[in-house]
Amino acid sequence: MPDQPLTTENYPLAETSPERVTGHRGKSLDELTLEAVLAGDVGMEDLRITPNALLQQAQIARSAGRAALARNFERAAEMTRVPQDTIMEIYELLRPGRTRSIESLQNTAQRLRREFNAPLLAQLVEEAASAYEKRGLFRNRY
Amino acid sequence: MSNSYDANRWKRFDEWDARPLRHDQFAVEDPENGFSAFNGAADPGPGLKIENGKVSMMDGVAAQDFDMIDAFIAAHHLDMDVAEEAMAIPAEQLARMLVDMNVPRAELVRLARGLTPARLAEAVAQLNAMEIAFAYSKMRARRTPGNQAHVTNAKDDPLQLAADAAVAVALGFDEIETTMRVARNSWSNALACCVGSVVGRAGTLFQCSSEEAEELEIGMAGFTSYAETVSVYGTESAFIDGDDTPWSKAWLAAAYASRGIKMRCTSGAASELLMGYHEAKSLLYLEARCLCIQRGMGSQGTQNGGIDGAPLASSIPGGVREIWAENLLAVWLDLECASGNDARHSESEMRVAAKVLPFLIGGSDLICSGFGSILKYDNSFNPSSFNGEELEEFLVLQRDFEADGGLTSIEDASALDLRRRAIDALSHVLKDLDLAAPTEIMKRSVAVASGSNDTQSFAPRDVAVISDKISRQRITVLDVIRSLHRGGFVPEAQNLLFLVKLRVSGDYLQTSAIVRDGHVISAINDPNDYTGPGTGYRLTEARRKELAAIRNVLDRDEVLRREAASEPAEARAIEYSTMGPAERGTDPHEVVVGISPGFGTRIFRTLSGLPLSKVLKALRDGIEKGGGRMRLMRIRHTADTSFLGLSAARLSGSGIGIGIQSKGTAVIHQKDRLPHNNLELFSNAPVTNLDHYRALGENAAQYARGDLPAPVVVPTQGEALGARFHARVALTYAIETKMTENNASPETVDINFLGET
């Protein structure tokens, strides 16, 4: 990571600083060629965005005055560490009436911190938990 | 025809009842029941109190009474660094700043971060429709306008999806969106559109609108590159009924970004009203809340502007102005805006065109968030404002206004080539991956079909089998790339790889990102920099020419070429002999017919397609029937109908003359009248037939006798004859005027109808 945060000058990353960007297993953009795909050297993992790329996009967004967008990219950077099934499981929990008590969301937040090093996501879930409690969403909807 | 003179209703109302407009249902304004565009019965007044760096009151609600939406907006949208400054500015001043080209967009965007939903709504409500439209074009995020297509069909037929996707790409759509008639067909639709979208060019983003979890899975398999189904609502109850909360949606927003998939939210006027939870608040105020949530959760953009609620919003007074106003809020909040104009809000084509106009002429990130590139009945989202049927109208509107609506005309031949290529590519992949075996009949029927009614191809049940296989075998975009390559579809394989590589850098996750010419452009590297005339998005000369290049455009050579085709037949029907300068006649029964310079020399048919020989014969027969005698002369100093007629009349022994242009416009004139004060004018040449010319001749002969005949009436059915003929008329007339000579005297012409005994 560079010392100075990236700015709009560094955009698009793939064109201005391709060396900063790699796939999830470290392959550079230059290595993601058709030949490599045909040879079976490229998997879907190599086409996944990295937390690093998301954090760099967050810096660019922030320098363009888009702090809210940047925060979403930062949450997304944490979420790259969360498996798909878990993402959907937590999404389901966050939907109205899916859980009867605030504890399950609080536990989820702790799990996000502990298992996935995802403090921003944990904070989002905790915030939801207190909002749901206040608004009486922990109720049976069926 | 019935003639009931004792009817108790003006018949015009019956005719109005039969117009498509009258299928639209209009609703009375009723703020208590949510039917208000701008002034809800329970809309709060704007206000904000901050204590110890936290919001203690917003729009009249104390923090402890916040519902989920207030709480989310206060926590995630409102920027404490700017809120006090922004909220101190009165709505009138904000409104003026929005339409002041000297106030930069960036300054207004900065202030929006500190404005509450009620203040935002109050400010845009000050603007009239024209001001909203102008402010939108100033405030939208990306400079270059774009457009999005729906690609769906009633059979979920993958071959047709591939062919139609390729056509949509050729037309210039930046994004294409599909959905299914049968939910389980999602994987097949995704694969088919994905393959079709890489035929011809790389970089068209694609989404498959599906159930949330499945949509993410399809995205992770690499088939799709964006999503816009993250719906947001403006009341807590509607949100809960939509089975979500602002936090569950924020979770999804992060989920899409974490997988490198571009995402925008969706909201639109009247969704709360449709769902029965409007809280007696106006469409605009509820939409302001929705948009603040979206900005707060870090969505790069929104699909907004009525959307599915557009027909309901449009049933309310001011509803369409409100739809424009909410779009303005979206871009003021610095969101990419796919500006609706999708769900058709009216059966009236005029209402449809009027609603889209600001976005067409002022631009929008995506003018339609779903232009039906397919026929109406194939649109699985329901008919759009514009569909396959009306596509050329949109192209012509672009040309009329020299406005870039993001689309470019396609030619007959290349369209068919593209369709075949897309069908071949997908057929190969289906066979190669052991998913299905399309037959030649299927492929050929789809290539030429305008819609699924014309195809003999896959039926929904066959598609379900394909779709299940794709899902079960966990086929990914990499399998498809390799398969395309194996089949020799190398450019398509390259294009598809380009598309999935976009997600590695995430450049297209930024606000308003699309791909043009192989490069990501967004609000960052292509920001809307409008500050008055000469700034912002302007057409290049090359793009202007592209917009002008629609089908079937007429020029002078084409007119002459078409006329030349009639020349041989006329040469066999009539012989003109020029006999020298014309003298003034003395026969009191003669009617002189003055023909124009190009009559029978360069031009051979009237606008109604009548050969000029037959027109002359009809005139002669009519004149003789009226007891007169026809004398013909060619007028050479003018091609103007009135002067042709007047010149003929002045040389006529009876003082009565007929002037006729080669295109068939004719006049009966009398020698002592002013040039443009004729006896009878036959100006609607396209609907003038031989009987009319015969009657014209007969009347002229009667005028010569001193009688006063009933004028000949050429009935029209109100056709827009000008639009049908005027380009040809002007070109034809220019050919004739170019043949005129100053001071050239009229010449007597003898005619001989060949084949006559």
Side-chain angles (χ1 to χ4, degrees), chain B residues 505-547:
Chain B
S505 68
D507 287 319
Y508 77 159
L509 302 178
Q510 296 284 357
T511 303
S512 303
I514 55 170
V515 181
R516 286 283 175 94
D517 304 320
H519 302 278
V520 175
I521 60 168
S522 73
I524 293 179
N525 59 348
D526 184 34
N528 181 11
D529 54 0
Y530 182 84
T531 52
T535 65
Y537 181 75
R538 300 280 146 171
L539 293 182
T540 61
E541 187 52 23
R543 180 63 181 143
R544 202 185 75 81
K545 286 194 169 132
E546 263 181 11
L547 295 179

Side-chain angles (χ1 to χ4, degrees), chain A residues 76-130:
Chain A
E78 293 182 353
M79 215 183 262
T80 56
R81 297 189 279 274
V82 183
Q84 182 72 3
D85 291 348
T86 311
I87 290 178
M88 296 320 293
E89 187 190 310
I90 298 175
Y91 170 59
E92 186 62 19
L93 268 184
L94 283 169
R95 299 177 98 163
R98 294 304 196 276
T99 161
R100 305 285 279 278
S101 72
I102 190 168
E103 284 78 26
S104 61
L105 283 181
Q106 285 167 338
N107 291 342
T108 300
Q110 279 168 29
R111 184 180 165 209
L112 282 164
R113 278 203 184 83
R114 203 178 50 236
E115 255 182 73
F116 301 107
N117 183 25
L120 299 174
L121 290 173
Q123 205 184 319
L124 188 77
V125 171
E126 281 164 352
E127 197 186 298
S130 63

Side-chain angles (χ1 to χ4, degrees), chain B residues 451-522:
Chain B
S452 62
N453 285 351
D454 306 337
T455 63
Q456 296 178 44
S457 190
F458 292 105
R461 199 190 161 280
D462 313 321
V463 180
V465 175
I466 297 172
S467 195
D468 290 349
K469 276 191 192 172
I470 298 169
S471 165
R472 212 172 43 243
Q473 293 172 24
R474 299 194 169 274
I475 289 170
T476 71
V477 74
L478 290 172
D479 299 314
V480 176
I481 292 171
R482 285 189 283 263
S483 175
L484 283 168
H485 191 271
R486 274 196 295 279
F489 297 95
V490 180
E492 287 77 8
Q494 287 281 12
N495 289 349
L496 192 46
L497 180 60
F498 169 85
L499 204 63
V500 281
K501 270 176 74 175
L502 290 176
R503 59 177 64 190
V504 178
S505 68
D507 287 319
Y508 77 159
L509 302 178
Q510 296 284 357
T511 303
S512 303
I514 55 170
V515 181
R516 286 283 175 94
D517 304 320
H519 302 278
V520 175
I521 60 168
S522 73

Side-chain angles (χ1 to χ4, degrees), chain B residues 9-18:
Chain B
R9 192 185 200 211
W10 186 27
K11 206 173 154 195
R12 185 74 53 79
F13 282 100
D14 295 341
E15 290 161 10
W16 283 337
D17 282 346

Side-chain angles (χ1 to χ4, degrees), chain A residues 11 13-15 29 37 44 47 57 65-66 68-69 75 79 82 84 87 91 95 98 127 132 135, chain B residues 76 113 220 236 243-245 247 251 254 259 295 297-298 334 482 501 503 505 507 510 519 522:
Chain A
Y11 183 86
L13 274 181
E15 291 177 24
L29 286 174
V37 171
M44 285 309 290
L47 296 168
Q57 293 295 352
R66 300 191 178 104
L69 180 60
R75 286 191 288 269
M79 215 183 262
V82 183
Q84 182 72 3
I87 290 178
Y91 170 59
R95 299 177 98 163
R98 294 304 196 276
E127 197 186 298
Y132 292 4
R135 300 300 295 174
Chain B
H76 294 272
R113 298 198 285 267
M220 286 192 58
E236 190 178 77
D243 207 12
D244 270 296
T245 74
W247 286 272
W251 181 266
R259 268 52 185 167
R295 200 192 81 74
M297 75 167 68
D334 200 23
R482 285 189 283 263
K501 270 176 74 175
R503 59 177 64 190
S505 68
D507 287 319
Q510 296 284 357
H519 302 278
S522 73

Side-chain angles (χ1 to χ4, degrees), chain B residues 552-633:
Chain B
N552 293 353
V553 180
L554 196 64
D555 64 11
R556 186 176 187 275
D557 290 344
E558 177 63 16
V559 170
L560 288 172
R561 198 182 60 74
R562 288 186 199 171
E563 286 305 316
S566 311
E567 185 172 6
E570 276 293 89
R572 288 192 298 274
I574 189 169
E575 199 173 61
Y576 298 89
S577 311
T578 304
M579 308 305 287
E583 303 286 324
R584 182 186 301 271
T586 53
D587 178 353
H589 299 296
E590 79 172 357
V591 173
V592 170
V593 175
I595 58 176
S596 59
F599 196 106
T601 58
R602 306 289 296 277
I603 308 295
F604 303 95
R605 289 171 310 154
T606 68
L607 291 177
S608 65
L610 298 171
L612 294 182
S613 57
K614 290 195 172 164
V615 171
L616 285 178
K617 200 184 276 183
L619 285 174
R620 185 196 65 181
D621 291 351
I623 291 167
E624 288 175 359
K625 189 177 169 205
R629 195 176 60 79
M630 178 170 92
R631 185 156 68 99
L632 194 68
M633 57 185 65

